């Protein structure tokens, strides 16, 4: 077999069953045929396979510069490495989820991904109706009516709270106003992991810092994201971390406008290295990366090799390098980067247990 492009995860004990992000912004439904990888014919492959894997985006669309886009990059890399047939169907709204999933299953694809926890109920319905299908969902654990995991669904989750803790450390050591903000998409268990991990990281290095939290209740409203970001900055915060998908794009717009007006503010991105979203004003302090691309790639490869992790929860955390801070560090101080390494070691050793819920966070304060 060809050497894979994602070596940092090859040591995962995937067979043991331990292999959830923010979603994205709106887009029109995909054309009749699943969209091929851009320039797919330009990348030579050393081997080919008749394996087919497709994905259904959430409302963020495949070009959300975040969660869905990362998943699509993982499938494109899988195509380049193995010559597999890949593609996607884009969801304009939530009503598209189940029809899109059903379509890809009926077409006979070997593996169908649902990108985002918002498709949990739809994946359950399709899996129960199409028992021969092999489905995978990112950021959600799907259970049957009996409370057990469905054997034809692989559940991919992430330790977002751990990565969020680390960007919280950077925010806590960087703020000059001693106030930072968190912009959430839809309030729920998943995004609470981002919020509480971030708050814990800030407080670990700056116990006196004030953290302003507000939710947009949407992953697809950049204008709302900009409005909320403006409100948080106006309250004195100089750094805002978002876990809001396309809504979070409004954070970068607001931060850049304020930077041009002479304000010293920062944005912290999510899911991918969002340094470019802050240019040319250079307002991205760092980002919490979440390797959805690797998860999609790894589960696709396992399935192609006859090891579909159906009925399992496959989790990526710091230990598997599935979450962390972005490689672009030009705006992060040496002190903060060293603190990230120190706290990462404490999390990995078990010395620090990063909170996921409001209750866990409150208990640690």
């Amino acid at each position: 077999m060809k050497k894979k492009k994602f070596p940092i995860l090859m040591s995962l004990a995937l067979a043991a069953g331990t292999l959830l992000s923010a979603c994205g912004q709106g887009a029109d439904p995909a054309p009749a045929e699943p969209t091929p990888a851009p320039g797919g014919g330009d990348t030579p492959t050393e081997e080919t396979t008749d394996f087919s894997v497709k994905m259904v985006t959430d409302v963020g669309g495949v070009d959300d510069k975040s969660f869905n886009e990362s998943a699509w990059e993982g499938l494109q890399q899988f195509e380049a490495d193995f010559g597999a047939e890949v593609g996607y169907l884009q969801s304009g709204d939530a009503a598209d989820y189940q029809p899109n999933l059903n379509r890809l299953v009926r077409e006979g694809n070997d593996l169908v991904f649902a990108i985002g926890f918002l498709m949990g109920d739809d994946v359950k319905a399709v899996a129960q109706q199409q028992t021969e299908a092999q489905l995978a969902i990112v950021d959600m654990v799907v259970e049957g009516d009996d409370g057990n995991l469905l054997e034809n669904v692989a559940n991919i989750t992430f330790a977002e709270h751990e990565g969020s803790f680390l960007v919280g450390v950077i925010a806590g050591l960087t703020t000059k106003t001693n106030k930072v903000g968190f912009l959430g998409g839809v309030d729920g268990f998943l995004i609470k992991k981002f919020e509480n991990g971030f708050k814990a990281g800030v407080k670990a290095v700056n116990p006196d810092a004030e953290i302003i939290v507000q939710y947009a209740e949407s992953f697809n409203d950049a204008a709302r994201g900009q409005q909320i970001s403006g409100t948080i900055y106006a309250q004195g915060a100089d750094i805002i971390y978002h876990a809001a998908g396309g809504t979070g794009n409004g954070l970068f717009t607001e931060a850049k406008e304020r930077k041009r007006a002479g304000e010293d503010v920062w944005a912290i991105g999510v899911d991918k290295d969002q340094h470019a979203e802050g240019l040319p004003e250079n307002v991205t302090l760092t980002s919490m990366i979440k390797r959805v691309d690797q998860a999609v790639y790894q589960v696709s490869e396992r399935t192609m090799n006859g090891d579909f992790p159906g009925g399992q929860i496959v989790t990526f955390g710091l230990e598997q390098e599935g979450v962390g801070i972005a490689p672009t560090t030009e705006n992060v101080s040496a002190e903060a980067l060293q603190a990230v390494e120190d706290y990462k070691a404490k999390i990995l050793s078990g010395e620090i247990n990063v909170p996921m819920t409001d209750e866990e966070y409150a208990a640690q304060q």
Side-chain angles (χ1 to χ4, degrees):
M1 282 296 198
K2 181 181 178 181
K3 185 178 180 181
K4 310 306 178 295
K5 303 294 185 183
F6 300 128
I8 61 175
L9 286 179
M10 297 308 294
S11 62
L12 273 172
L14 297 178
T18 56
L19 180 41
L20 268 221
S21 165
C23 302
Q25 74 187 62
D28 295 329
E33 292 300 321
T35 307
D42 297 334
T43 304
T45 58
E46 295 179 9
E47 52 189 297
T48 59
T49 175
D50 59 2
F51 185 80
S52 60
V53 53
K54 309 286 175 61
M55 64 179 241
V56 175
T57 76
D58 74 356
V59 295
V62 78
D63 55 355
D64 64 353
K65 306 182 188 302
S66 184
F67 185 75
N68 292 277
E69 186 172 310
S70 180
W72 178 229
E73 288 171 352
L75 284 192
Q76 291 177 90
Q77 187 63 61
F78 184 72
E79 177 195 40
D81 286 353
F82 296 105
E85 179 184 351
V86 304
Y88 64 86
L89 289 178
Q90 197 142 295
S91 302
D93 56 45
D96 293 334
Y97 295 157
Q98 194 165 325
N100 281 344
L101 290 166
N102 266 317
R103 174 178 166 181
L104 293 182
V105 169
R106 289 196 304 268
E107 288 177 352
N109 291 292
D110 296 292
L111 177 62
V112 175
F113 281 93
I115 308 302
F117 74 95
L118 295 174
M119 278 181 262
D121 290 341
D122 301 291
V123 168
K124 176 180 176 180
V126 173
Q128 291 178 326
Q129 295 163 6
Q130 310 276 1
T131 56
E132 298 303 311
Q134 294 186 139
L135 300 161
I137 185 167
V138 177
D139 275 356
M140 185 69 181
V141 175
V142 176
E143 298 178 344
D145 296 332
D146 59 1
N148 294 319
L149 299 178
L150 297 173
E151 291 299 319
N152 60 341
V153 178
N155 306 275
I156 301 170
T157 69
F158 291 82
E160 296 93 348
H161 53 304
E162 294 179 348
S164 296
F165 184 100
L166 298 182
V167 297
V169 167
I170 293 173
L173 291 173
T174 305
T175 178
K176 296 178 181 177
T177 64
N178 228 30
K179 290 184 180 180
V180 300
F182 175 81
L183 167 61
V186 176
D187 191 347
F189 175 72
L190 173 61
I191 307 304
K192 279 291 183 180
K193 291 171 67 180
F194 290 85
E195 176 196 333
N196 287 298
F198 175 68
K199 292 189 300 186
V202 172
K203 290 291 189 178
V205 297
N206 190 345
D208 297 326
E210 179 182 346
I211 305 165
I212 304 167
V213 175
Q214 191 166 343
Y215 280 79
E217 293 306 328
S218 172
F219 291 116
N220 185 34
D221 192 341
R224 177 67 173 153
Q226 183 176 359
Q227 177 189 23
I228 291 174
S229 299
T231 299
I232 296 174
Y233 284 133
Q235 293 178 64
D238 57 350
I239 302 170
I240 300 176
Y241 171 42
H242 90 90
T247 298
N249 292 339
L251 164 62
F252 294 98
T253 300
E254 182 67 18
K256 289 191 286 187
E257 288 184 1
R258 288 177 177 265
K259 182 75 82 171
R260 288 195 297 269
E263 294 186 40
D264 188 13
V265 298
W266 294 104
I268 296 179
V270 76
D271 293 338
K272 297 181 66 177
D273 186 341
Q274 293 194 305
H275 178 74
E277 303 312 305
L279 297 176
E281 293 80 6
N282 195 18
V283 298
T284 305
L285 177 60
T286 185
S287 302
M288 196 287 281
I289 57 170
K290 174 176 169 179
R291 297 307 301 269
V292 181
D293 55 343
Q294 292 189 21
V296 166
Y297 185 104
Q298 292 287 338
V299 171
S300 295
E301 184 180 9
R302 284 186 65 181
T303 304
M304 181 184 67
N305 291 334
D307 185 27
F308 171 62
Q312 298 179 32
I313 300 173
V314 191
T315 301
F316 286 93
L318 281 179
E319 184 177 357
Q320 299 82 18
E321 299 188 47
V323 297
I325 67 167
T328 303
T329 59
E330 64 182 62
N331 293 324
V332 183
S333 70
E335 175 194 9
L337 289 174
Q338 183 58 56
V340 164
E341 293 304 313
D342 294 343
Y343 278 97
K344 180 178 178 179
K346 291 178 180 180
I347 294 170
L348 291 172
S349 71
E351 181 179 345
I352 290 179
N353 184 24
V354 181
M356 293 186 286
T357 66
D358 291 345
E359 292 76 16
E360 291 173 353
Y361 173 77
Q364 294 184 8
Q365 299 310 302

